[in-house]
Amino acid sequence: MRTPVIAGNWKMYKTTAESQAFVKEFLPLVAGVQGVEIVLSPPFPSLSVVAALTSGTKVGVASQNVHFAAEGAYTGEVSPGMLKDAGAGYAIIGHSERRQYFAETDDGVNRKVKAVLAAGLVPIMCLGETLAEREAGRTFEVVERQLRADLSGVAAADAPTVIVAYEPVWAIGTGKTATKEQAQEVHAFLRGLVKEIFGGLVAEKIRILYGGSVKTENIAELMAQPDIDGALVGGASLKANSFAGIAKYR
Ligand code: PGA
């Protein structure tokens, strides 16, 4: 059985004070949630504060980005070890906004995935097609290329640790969710690919999240799909009430 993951991505929102206020309101709301991994992804400055406030609770913390080197002359970057030291347990890698605005490539994503695994953190590895690619009938070709490149050289023993987030770019922040059928179709395809690359056992264990305009209104029907193991939530994760509602989808 795969434990579902509900991860919030705050993007570049919330000061430290706002992050603290969120956590204080959020923790009691999810106190009764069982059998779901809940993750918050604050901006770097509030990461350690959120980690300290959630320490010992069922709520984990992810960074929104990471560098692949352990340390070095990389101005503006943060290493996996530093994130772990700050209290993160997960790192979001290859979000479409990073790919689109910060020239992130599959090669870079792949290096980050391997570095994060080596540091003992859980990568939340994002991929997904653009609207133009979907309309050109290239969805499967694009996500296959991304999955193969992003996981290249990852050991089969480490692969079940990776969390894959399928996020169709056209559904992010647009209010346009993929239908449950559209999402399930791609998730099943990705799981099939994982089986081909790493074998059936890994394919059964690996968690594949859906992301793109997830909200309280559509989470239950998405989670009812056999290959959807959770969600990566942007806008609807910014308010404690709405994100708690998503975590309590059952
Ligand atoms: P959204 O963002 O939920 O606001 O569409 C999802 C994401 O970017 O991970």
Side-chain angles (χ1 to χ4, degrees):
M1 248 332 261
R2 300 184 287 272
T3 305
V5 182
I6 301 290
N9 172 13
W10 289 353
K11 308 192 179 184
M12 201 169 72
Y13 293 100
K14 292 192 191 298
T15 61
T16 304
E18 288 163 350
S19 304
Q20 276 174 307
F22 179 104
V23 175
K24 283 182 186 152
E25 187 187 347
F26 183 69
L27 288 180
L29 297 177
V30 295
V33 177
Q34 302 280 340
V36 178
E37 251 171 79
I38 303 172
V39 181
L40 300 174
S41 317
F44 284 131
S46 33
L47 198 142
S48 60
V49 171
V50 171
L53 284 174
T54 54
S55 152
T57 74
K58 67 187 78 183
V59 176
V61 175
S63 64
Q64 298 175 18
N65 184 27
V66 60
H67 194 266
F68 46 75
E71 61 180 11
Y74 298 106
T75 302
E77 295 292 326
V78 180
S79 76
M82 291 168 186
L83 292 171
K84 199 174 177 189
D85 178 59
Y90 307 75
I92 297 175
I93 299 172
H95 190 279
S96 64
E97 287 151 17
R98 304 265 350 142
R99 293 178 188 256
Q100 191 180 345
Y101 305 129
F102 303 98
E104 228 166 81
T105 62
D106 285 317
D107 178 55
V109 170
N110 177 243
R111 294 170 80 165
K112 291 177 179 195
V113 167
K114 287 191 277 201
V116 157
L117 284 167
L121 294 170
V122 174
I124 302 177
M125 191 189 91
C126 306
L127 48 80
E129 82 286 2
T130 63
L131 183 60
E133 288 164 343
R134 175 161 284 263
E135 285 176 345
R138 294 181 50 222
T139 297
F140 294 106
E141 170 203 328
V142 168
V143 298
E144 172 163 5
R145 190 197 66 226
Q146 291 175 323
L147 188 89
R148 285 188 186 279
D150 297 350
L151 290 178
S152 167
V154 170
D158 288 332
T161 305
V162 177
I163 297 174
V164 177
Y166 167 58
E167 299 205 302
V169 178
W170 49 273
I172 294 177
T174 57
K176 228 175 144 183
T177 323
T179 63
K180 55 187 193 306
E181 292 83 9
Q182 282 173 324
Q184 166 58 25
E185 187 184 29
V186 177
H187 280 234
F189 175 76
L190 290 171
R191 198 176 305 285
L193 269 178
V194 170
K195 183 172 178 186
E196 203 184 302
I197 303 167
F198 296 105
L201 225 59
V202 175
E204 264 173 48
K205 285 189 183 161
I206 201 162
R207 273 97 50 97
I208 308 179
L209 316 186
Y210 169 78
S213 298
V214 173
K215 37 192 182 273
T216 37
E217 291 79 12
N218 58 22
I219 184 69
E221 62 174 32
L222 288 164
M223 293 304 290
Q225 303 307 307
D227 289 296
I228 300 184
D229 307 313
L232 182 55
V233 187
S237 76
L238 290 170
K239 292 225 160 64
N241 249 327
S242 100
F243 191 49
I246 293 173
K248 291 193 277 196
Y249 65 90
R250 283 200 272 228

